[in-house]
């Protein structure tokens, strides 16, 4: 697969981690994406893809792309034999200035790009992207579209500062400390987070903690799960295992097995690192 990415210019860099272009044959027809403390926007330029956002939600097809706020459970992506898209990896609060609705309405329920920006605007954008000279020009077009749509958002500074503390502590900061530092009530902070992130500060911290823990593990070697749990500050290994299953749907040992399968079958693949084979 071809993958091209770059960081956008200010002020978008305060909302977005990177813009990317992805094209080619996926390593697996279905991939599982465990929750990350991040949002996602995809503009699809190839055949439709499918998303199942949890075991209690039916699989849905997305032709023009999708917008995904910070998830609370693993998603399953179903890819066509060949895929082509541009997208945006956003910070937890990064999607809010581009949404016409509160982020909480999208919690674990991805919407199409048409539902976010309207059919005429999305059709025009996709046409311009499809006729661009190459990936770099496509990313420039996407960046320009985001700049045009950037809106002032009440409470964004508060949520950004608080989310940054959560990230800096790997999700281990006490929520009470966050409210004291923010100078607002816990109710107000939680409401702002639901509006702009889609989840409460506590939920974002739990996601951040597990994600930070997973990124420290070397799955190529043996894993001492008790040591991992202790190092991440969980009460004990049972607490860690419960959180792991709640977010990923897998036990830690099963997750490691599936991760190693990806490493074994597609070493160095651009999608390796977070996504897992679902087949």
């Amino acid at each position: 697969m071809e993958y091209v990415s770059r960081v956008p210019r200010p002020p978008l860099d305060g909302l977005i981690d990177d813009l990317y272009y992805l094209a080619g044959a996926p390593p697996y027809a279905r991939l599982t994406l465990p929750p990350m403390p991040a949002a996602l926007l995809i503009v699809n330029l190839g055949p439709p893809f499918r998303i199942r956002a949890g075991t209690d939600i039916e699989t849905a097809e997305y032709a023009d792309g999708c917008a995904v706020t910070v998830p609370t459970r693993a998603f399953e992506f179903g890819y066509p034999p060949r895929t082509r898209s541009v997208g945006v990896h956003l910070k937890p609060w990064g999607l809010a200035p581009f949404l016409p609705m509160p982020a909480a309405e999208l919690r674990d329920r991805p919407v199409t790009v048409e539902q976010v920006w309207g059919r005429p605007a999305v059709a025009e954008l996709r046409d311009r992207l499809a006729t661009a000279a190459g990936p770099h020009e496509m990313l420039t077009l996407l960046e320009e579209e985001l700049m045009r749509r950037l809106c002032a958002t009440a409470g964004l500074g508060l949520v950004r500062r608080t989310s940054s503390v959560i990230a800096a502590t790997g999700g281990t900061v006490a929520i009470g400390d966050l409210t004291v530092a923010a100078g607002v009530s816990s109710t107000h902070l939680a409401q702002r987070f639901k509006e702009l992130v889609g989840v409460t500060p506590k939920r974002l911290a739990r996601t951040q903690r597990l994600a930070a823990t997973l990124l420290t593990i070397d799955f190529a070697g043996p894993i001492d799960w008790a040591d991992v749990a202790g190092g991440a500050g969980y009460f004990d290994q049972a607490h860690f295992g419960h959180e792991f299953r709640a977010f990923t749907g897998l036990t830690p040992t099963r997750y490691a097995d599936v991760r190693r399968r990806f490493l074994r079958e597609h070493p160095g693949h651009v999608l390796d690192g977070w996504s897992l084979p679902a087949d």
Side-chain angles (χ1 to χ4, degrees), residues 4 9 18-19 27 33 49 60-61 66 85-87 105 112 168 172-173 188 214 223 232 236 279:
V4 179
R9 66 185 186 274
D18 73 298
L19 309 166
L33 275 70
F49 55 81
E61 187 172 89
C66 67
S85 63
V86 293
E105 292 185 14
T112 65
T172 61
V173 63
H188 179 81
L214 288 176
I223 303 170
D236 51 31
D279 297 316

Side-chain angles (χ1 to χ4, degrees), residues 22-271:
L22 178 69
Y28 302 98
R30 296 185 301 128
L31 287 170
T32 297
L33 275 70
M36 276 287 283
L40 177 65
L41 177 71
I42 301 173
V43 180
N44 188 40
L45 302 172
F49 55 81
R50 300 175 68 82
I51 301 177
R52 188 183 187 193
T55 57
D56 60 339
I57 298 175
E58 293 185 0
T59 301
E61 187 172 89
Y62 297 82
D64 66 352
C66 67
V68 181
T69 57
V70 174
T72 68
R73 63 186 77 186
F75 280 17
E76 183 181 289
F77 271 68
Y79 284 98
R82 294 194 68 82
T83 189
R84 187 168 184 255
S85 63
V86 293
V88 190
H89 294 121
L90 300 115
K91 301 178 189 298
W93 60 87
L95 195 57
F98 308 104
L99 291 177
M101 71 283 282
E105 292 185 14
L106 277 63
R107 174 171 165 165
D108 295 329
R109 294 184 181 276
V111 294
T112 65
V113 183
E114 179 183 315
Q115 290 173 284
V116 177
W117 289 342
R119 180 176 296 180
V122 173
E124 181 186 353
L125 175 60
R126 293 178 74 208
D127 286 344
R128 287 190 286 124
L129 289 169
T131 57
H136 294 285
E137 183 178 329
M138 295 169 75
L139 296 184
T140 297
L141 289 171
L142 180 59
E143 183 175 9
E144 290 172 350
E145 182 71 19
L146 292 166
M147 285 292 293
R148 282 194 295 269
R149 293 185 172 278
L150 183 60
C151 297
T153 306
L156 189 65
L158 170 65
V159 170
R160 178 178 176 174
R161 290 190 299 273
T162 307
S163 297
S164 297
V165 173
I166 291 173
T169 62
T172 61
V173 63
I175 303 304
D177 293 344
L178 290 177
T179 58
V180 171
V184 298
S185 69
S186 59
T187 301
H188 179 81
L189 188 63
Q191 185 60 36
R192 283 302 192 195
F193 264 73
K194 289 178 183 178
E195 291 172 356
L196 305 185
V197 178
V199 297
T200 64
K202 182 176 182 179
R203 188 75 191 201
L204 179 63
R206 289 173 62 195
T207 305
Q208 181 73 56
R209 186 185 224 176
L210 184 63
T213 302
L214 288 176
L215 292 174
T216 65
I217 300 172
D218 178 10
F219 289 98
I223 303 170
D224 184 332
W225 291 110
D227 185 58
V228 169
Y234 288 95
F235 296 132
D236 51 31
Q237 192 172 347
H239 177 215
F240 173 65
H242 179 270
E243 285 288 277
F244 206 106
R245 287 189 296 274
F247 279 93
T248 69
L250 302 171
T251 65
T253 52
R254 177 56 182 160
Y255 180 95
D257 289 342
V258 178
R259 167 64 58 216
R260 286 167 179 150
R261 176 189 166 193
F262 201 133
L263 291 171
R264 183 176 63 253
E265 295 178 347
H266 298 279
H269 197 279
V270 297
L271 293 182

